[in-house]
Structures are given as C-alpha cells and as structure tokens.
Amino acid sequence: MPDRDILDLEHFLPYRLSVLSNRISQDIARLYADRFGLGITEWRVLAVLGRHSEVSAREVAERTAMDKVAVSRAIASLQAAGRIERDTHGHDRRRSCLRLSPGGRAIYDEVAPLALAYQRRLLEGLAEDERAALDRLLGRLETLELATRPG
C-alpha cells in the first residue's frame, strides 16, 4: 500500500478550534437560550448590532463569518420578535440598515455582561503573559488565514 497522508483529526488545528468554539458557544448559549429564546445565530446578530449600530445584513454575515442564509433567518426571526429594526440606508433604498430595538438593547445589556463574565472565568486560568500570547497568536492566525484564502 502506498504511503499517504493521514489526518489525525484530534490534532488538526481547524478541528480543535471548531470543537472548542462550539463548546464555548454552547456554554454561553445557556445564558440566553432559555430566558430569551435565542439561538447562537440570533445572539451573534444581537451582539454585532450591540457593538456596531446601523449595519447591513451582509456586514453582519462578514463580521460573524456565518452563512448568509443563517444570518438572514436570524434577522427575520429577531425582526418578527421586535428585537431589531430595519430601515433603508439614506438614498440607497436597496441597502437596509439594522439596529437593535429597545427590547433588543435590553436583552443585549443583560446578556453581554454575563458573556464577558464567562470569558473572564475562562481566561482566569491563564497567566497574564499567556492571555497576551493567546491574543497575539489568534490575531496572527486570523491574518494568516486571510492571506491563504483563494482568490
């Protein structure tokens, strides 16, 4: 049998990052899922709008690296629940801008501190230099990933 590359999934960086991200996202989801009926995608949309008001659905999808269809569904759900508002952008009626409604802002203002507290608890197991190194390495990996994208 010829030599071939074998993928050791448990040590494959994209897999490890994905599993860790999923576990953390699911832990944080417990903070808002039962109380507010939000899924991970809906919360991420709210989180983007809490940080960056007046953005388009396309910009939300880009900032979260989520599928445009999933973002569109989350936006429709949040809008139907009165948690976000949509307006056309100035003179360009083809582009709509999203923002949190007062109800959406109230949810964001309640959940964001809980999410930040979760992050603090997670990172408190690392020394200050390890946290700084992690931040630098994640930034570097993001840069490298962008540079290796096709096209």
Side-chain angles (χ1 to χ4, degrees), residues 144-151:
L144 290 169
E145 185 274 332
L146 287 172
T148 60
R149 282 187 186 174

Side-chain angles (χ1 to χ4, degrees), residues 6 11 18 28 45 57 77 82 85 94 97 106 108 118 124 137 143:
I6 296 176
H11 294 97
S18 177
I28 293 173
V45 171
S77 171
E85 299 168 346
R94 295 168 297 162
C97 289
Y108 175 85
Y118 176 90
E124 71 186 8
L137 290 169
T143 300

